[in-house]
Amino acid sequence: PHNYLLDKPQFCASYDRDKGIPNWTSWQLNSTWLGSATRETVYSSDNTLPPSFYHVTTSDYSNTGFSRGHMCPSADRLNTDANNTALFVMTNMIPQNQANNQGAWEGLENYERTLAIVGNVIYIISGGYGAGGTGLNGYAETIAGGKVTVPKKIWKVMIVLPAGTNDISRVTVSTRTIAMIINNDSTASDQNSWGTYRVSVDSVESLTGYDFFSDVSPSIQAVIEAK
Ligand code: MN
Ligand code: MN
């Protein structure tokens, strides 16, 4: 229940029943996912969770001072209405400071799409770390009567390749990675400031305990994760 795999056509996630949020969410972005479909407006509970799990509802976030922060962002799945709607399940959300959500976090989201538009494929993993963020109503470690944890930090890592086939075999010591860690408060409110919050992939591995890009050979990981 603390590492429940959600394997969807649009994204994958490790979900924590008791935190009410994903540990991580992962997806691949390339230009075929982009488009001009209609952005969904209705957030819904994820009915693919086991019936025994608490199913977080959109109203669990209402009046909490935290926004419903997409991990896989809406604009990364706009090729069809159905694919966009699939991102509005509450298992793809974390309670996120609104200025942060629309600030540096969105700045990097916009940038990942510019990389896709020019012909790259990007593998992205993001999640929250710890407990305790600051929203419009001040500091909180949980919302919804304790059923949803408010992360302390939000992180993202990605690896960027020219679109092609057999992606793992094409990763070299020159392959680009981008990683970010930001506090879940209003500090990172400037969309253009996202570069300020870049860190190495190794830093996110140290923070989270995860081994990203683990299918890439250790000698290559050692180089591209230290950048
Ligand atoms: Mn967002
Ligand atoms: Mn690694």
Side-chain angles (χ1 to χ4, degrees):
H2 300 293
N3 184 23
Y4 186 82
L5 181 65
L6 294 169
D7 185 355
K8 300 174 187 288
Q10 297 82 13
F11 69 91
C12 293
S14 158
Y15 186 77
D16 189 309
R17 175 195 64 188
D18 294 349
K19 291 181 177 174
I21 56 173
N23 299 302
W24 53 257
T25 303
S26 183
W27 65 103
Q28 190 251 46
L29 181 64
N30 65 67
S31 62
T32 69
W33 287 105
L34 306 177
S36 51
T38 306
R39 182 184 159 105
E40 179 60 68
T41 56
V42 179
Y43 294 79
S44 52
S45 294
D46 191 335
N47 61 21
T48 71
L49 290 173
S52 62
F53 281 29
Y54 177 70
H55 291 201
V56 175
T57 68
T58 184
S59 59
D60 281 332
Y61 282 53
S62 299
N63 306 313
T64 63
F66 291 97
S67 63
R68 298 167 188 84
H70 282 80
M71 290 289 88
C72 182
S74 170
D76 278 14
R77 298 287 185 256
L78 274 175
N79 57 334
T80 67
D81 290 359
N83 282 336
N84 189 259
T85 295
L87 301 187
F88 281 71
V89 285
M90 295 306 294
T91 51
N92 186 37
M93 306 299 155
I94 61 168
Q96 185 172 9
N97 176 286
Q98 182 62 34
N100 173 313
N101 192 2
Q102 296 181 339
W105 189 255
E106 188 171 320
L108 179 53
E109 289 176 338
N110 290 336
Y111 185 68
E112 72 204 28
R113 286 187 288 274
T114 69
L115 296 173
I117 288 166
V118 297
N120 291 296
V121 57
I122 306 123
Y123 292 86
I124 307 168
I125 310 106
S126 77
Y129 169 80
T134 302
L136 294 173
N137 303 342
Y139 179 85
E141 295 189 348
T142 63
I143 57 174
K147 293 195 285 289
V148 179
T149 294
V150 178
K152 179 185 179 69
K153 296 175 184 292
I154 309 171
W155 54 265
K156 174 177 272 188
V157 302
M158 61 183 79
I159 189 165
V160 185
L161 288 166
T165 56
N166 204 354
D167 289 342
I168 291 171
S169 72
R170 295 187 297 118
V171 177
T172 71
V173 292
S174 302
T175 297
R176 186 175 184 190
T177 60
I178 305 173
M180 171 194 261
I181 300 173
I182 52 177
N183 291 327
N184 192 11
D185 60 26
S186 61
T187 308
S189 60
D190 177 4
Q191 226 176 73
N192 297 318
S193 74
W194 67 266
T196 308
Y197 301 94
R198 281 176 297 173
V199 296
S200 66
V201 174
D202 281 337
S203 296
V204 185
E205 290 192 339
S206 296
L207 179 75
T208 61
Y210 296 136
D211 177 8
F212 301 108
F213 314 142
S214 56
D215 285 344
V216 174
S217 78
S219 60
I220 295 175
Q221 284 184 65
V223 176
I224 65 176
E225 294 179 351
K227 294 179 186 176

